[in-house]
Amino acid sequence: MPRITLTIFIFCMCYANGFADNINNIVFPKAEILNKYTARIPFKLIDHLIVVEAEVLNKKGNFIIDTGSQNLVLNKVHFPLQYTLNKKNNKTSGVIRIIDDPLEKKLSEFKLQNFSLKDQNSDIIDLSHIEKTKKMNLLGIIGYSILKEYEVFIDLHLNQITLTKTDKQGNKLDSKVYLEKIVDSIDFKLKKHTIVINGVVNNQKVKLGLDTAAEFNQINKSVNKKVLKQFFPKKRINLVGASNKKIEVMAGNLFNLKLSETIYFGPMKTVLTNLSKMYEVYGTSLDGVLGYEFFKYKRTIINYQKEKLYFIDYPRIRQ
């Protein structure tokens, strides 16, 4: 059982002093390549972060899977400062503060094992504070710009991610991907790079973002008071964003979240915080964010093109 740390990392496109690197390919040495469309990649949990092993530019290390990040990110600690930079036209925001004048570079090609993607953005920022706190080697973060090309099965039961290529309508190019049976589904809206789900807490509608790199769920302080009646605080902890800035928040449990008539949750570990800056991060206002606690209860398939989440049951353990 992962320990609850006093520091929570939530990666939300927070880039400081960034620049870009020219990548020819990325390799997942432990991936099981089923065919030219589908690969299964094992991951490990470092605290509550989903981490895969990959090789980039002859360097092997860890990458965080982060649906809350827009682009591929490389850790500048591990990559040289030798490429031309381009200044982005817009600001980039994180959980704690807005970062001005981020930099980026367009890649001509990016390869996931035998999957080749064209015209990808790559940002490089200093992630050394995450390496230090998590006691891990971290090469970077894999975000929406890579994941959107695939149907993504995040399985915390088998600790693996399955990527299968889709067409522009979201239909899988490999028709025989999953051995397990899909038992339920819900629709979502894609706001920029963010998965937004509608839910209900205490008969009040809430709009929630889905972020694989949120170590605990978040609920906005300004949400309806009837929703807050279902939040039961326990203690104060420090929350740290990718900008390495800290704020103190209240942690507790959120009860009675319902996403449909058949999909609902008991208590989930949640932090109460100010999400006023999240519009600039996610491209929409949110009442909360669902992260590791969501995926812990739901074996989830994300189809970005169809804007649907599919669910597979955890196996029943016989006594």
Side-chain angles (χ1 to χ4, degrees):
M1 191 73 175
R3 61 184 176 89
I4 299 175
T5 63
L6 293 180
T7 304
I8 301 173
F9 287 99
I10 302 169
F11 300 91
C12 299
M13 279 288 290
C14 183
Y15 301 157
N17 299 321
F19 61 92
D21 206 342
N22 185 14
I23 304 172
N24 292 321
N25 64 78
I26 180 170
V27 177
F28 296 94
K30 296 183 179 179
E32 177 187 1
I33 306 301
L34 302 185
N35 53 53
K36 65 180 181 178
Y37 301 123
T38 304
R40 292 185 185 136
I41 304 170
F43 65 78
K44 55 189 174 183
L45 287 173
I46 297 181
D47 290 334
H48 293 160
L49 297 174
I50 297 173
V51 178
V52 298
E53 182 180 299
E55 293 181 27
V56 180
L57 299 174
N58 299 317
K59 295 182 181 181
K60 182 183 291 186
N62 296 312
F63 276 78
I64 294 167
I65 300 294
D66 182 7
T67 58
S69 177
Q70 185 170 0
N71 294 331
L72 170 70
V73 180
L74 297 182
N75 186 355
K76 80 173 187 179
V77 172
H78 299 290
F79 297 93
L81 315 178
Q82 62 185 32
Y83 298 99
T84 303
L85 312 178
N86 296 316
K87 185 173 292 188
K88 297 171 77 170
N89 293 325
N90 58 323
K91 295 180 179 180
T92 305
S93 299
V95 173
I96 310 303
R97 65 185 179 93
I98 298 172
I99 304 301
D100 291 303
D101 300 326
L103 299 166
E104 68 178 359
K105 186 178 178 65
K106 184 76 75 172
L107 306 179
S108 60
E109 186 176 43
F110 178 85
K111 293 181 180 178
L112 286 172
Q113 194 73 11
N114 56 341
F115 303 143
S116 181
L117 307 175
K118 305 293 183 181
D119 299 326
Q120 295 296 313
N121 287 326
S122 174
D123 297 306
I124 299 186
I125 63 173
D126 187 351
L127 301 175
S128 59
H129 61 286
I130 300 170
E131 289 190 302
K132 181 178 179 180
T133 303
K134 296 299 181 182
K135 298 179 181 179
M136 65 184 289
N137 166 276
L138 180 61
L139 290 192
I141 298 168
I142 295 173
Y144 164 77
S145 65
I146 302 301
L147 299 175
K148 68 179 180 179
E149 304 288 338
Y150 306 96
E151 188 170 270
V152 184
F153 179 18
I154 301 171
D155 188 352
L156 263 68
H157 171 63
L158 297 177
N159 277 19
Q160 70 180 18
I161 290 177
T162 301
L163 300 178
T164 187
K165 190 80 171 178
T166 64
D167 62 20
K168 292 182 179 180
Q169 287 71 47
N171 300 311
K172 297 188 297 293
L173 300 181
D174 178 3
S175 60
K176 298 179 180 180
V177 179
Y178 313 119
L179 298 176
E180 301 89 345
K181 180 181 179 182
I182 294 174
V183 296
D184 216 333
S185 66
I186 58 171
D187 296 326
F188 67 82
K189 293 293 184 182
L190 194 62
K191 300 292 186 178
K192 292 187 177 180
H193 62 284
T194 302
I195 296 167
V196 179
I197 306 167
N198 291 320
V200 175
V201 177
N202 201 13
N203 296 318
Q204 299 298 308
K205 293 181 179 179
V206 290
K207 188 162 64 171
L208 307 167
L210 188 64
D211 186 349
T212 55
E215 291 198 73
F216 292 93
N217 295 347
Q218 301 168 73
I219 196 73
N220 198 346
K221 288 181 177 180
S222 63
V223 75
N224 188 289
K225 290 182 179 179
K226 291 184 179 180
V227 175
L228 292 180
K229 286 183 178 180
Q230 297 300 308
F231 175 75
F232 293 83
K234 286 189 172 183
K235 61 182 178 181
R236 293 187 177 276
I237 60 175
N238 290 323
L239 183 148
V240 181
S243 60
N244 202 23
K245 298 294 183 179
K246 298 179 182 180
I247 57 172
E248 188 179 65
V249 298
M250 181 62 71
N253 288 318
L254 180 68
F255 287 76
N256 300 322
L257 170 62
K258 189 174 183 179
L259 302 184
S260 73
E261 291 300 318
T262 56
I263 301 173
Y264 44 86
F265 298 84
M268 291 192 289
K269 292 183 177 66
T270 301
V271 298
L272 181 66
T273 187
N274 182 359
L275 296 181
S276 62
K277 298 287 187 178
M278 289 298 98
Y279 184 89
E280 295 184 67
V281 176
Y282 291 116
T284 185
S285 59
L286 295 174
D287 299 307
V289 177
L290 300 175
Y292 167 80
E293 287 288 303
F294 175 89
F295 294 101
K296 183 176 72 174
Y297 289 108
K298 293 293 181 183
R299 301 169 77 191
T300 304
I301 299 167
I302 301 170
N303 190 307
Y304 282 102
Q305 305 302 324
K306 290 181 180 290
E307 297 189 1
K308 289 188 77 74
L309 300 179
Y310 302 95
F311 302 105
I312 293 172
D313 279 342
Y314 277 86
R316 294 181 180 179
I317 299 175
R318 297 180 179 179
Q319 302 293 334

